[in-house]
Amino acid sequence: MNAALWTGQILLAVIFAVSGVLKSTMSQQRMLETGQTGAAAYPLPVVRFAAICEILAAVGLILPLLLGIAPVLTGWAAVGLAVVMVGAMAMHGRLAIVRHTPAEWRNVGVNVVLLAVCVFVAAGRL
């Protein structure tokens, strides 16, 4: 079970670290060009705030447990990312309906999978 939890944590940490770095460094136009449609739904400062939260959560998924310093923070980082995934699912679903872009449902599916991994890690670490 511990190996599965670590696998989930590392997977989430990599995905959210990369996502956070890209969202915090790209222009809004560049994000849209690369398929990050969330940049169209929210003002740039909101996207940047979410990016910083993703980077901090990625660190929180690995370091507390690895270093043995406040390891409960690992589970709480997963909870925080689960909340972000619920918001992302709602936003992509809204874009799919309002803008009539069926491709957004694929993003909702990805968010559901990430949410499931977040819940798995949170349940296993809290």
Side-chain angles (χ1 to χ4, degrees), residues 37 40 91-108:
T37 54
M91 183 268 308
H92 285 295
R94 184 179 63 143
L95 286 176
I97 294 167
V98 172
R99 294 190 177 182
H100 306 290
T101 49
E104 286 297 327
W105 292 115
R106 178 185 51 92
N107 293 335
V108 172

Side-chain angles (χ1 to χ4, degrees), residues 12-108:
L12 290 172
V14 169
I15 290 170
F16 284 104
V18 169
S19 174
V21 168
L22 291 176
K23 288 178 192 169
S24 65
T25 58
M26 288 182 172
S27 69
Q28 194 166 21
Q29 184 61 35
R30 181 70 181 134
M31 282 186 263
L32 293 173
E33 290 168 0
T34 60
Q36 296 185 35
T37 54
Y42 297 104
L44 189 57
V46 173
V47 174
R48 298 276 197 242
F49 176 74
I52 291 167
C53 291
E54 288 177 354
I55 293 167
L56 291 173
V59 171
L61 285 168
I62 303 298
L63 285 185
L65 196 61
L66 185 66
L67 299 176
I69 301 171
V72 72
L73 292 178
T74 297
W76 286 110
V79 169
L81 288 173
V83 171
V84 170
M85 286 300 94
V86 170
M89 289 182 330
M91 183 268 308
H92 285 295
R94 184 179 63 143
L95 286 176
I97 294 167
V98 172
R99 294 190 177 182
H100 306 290
T101 49
E104 286 297 327
W105 292 115
R106 178 185 51 92
N107 293 335
V108 172

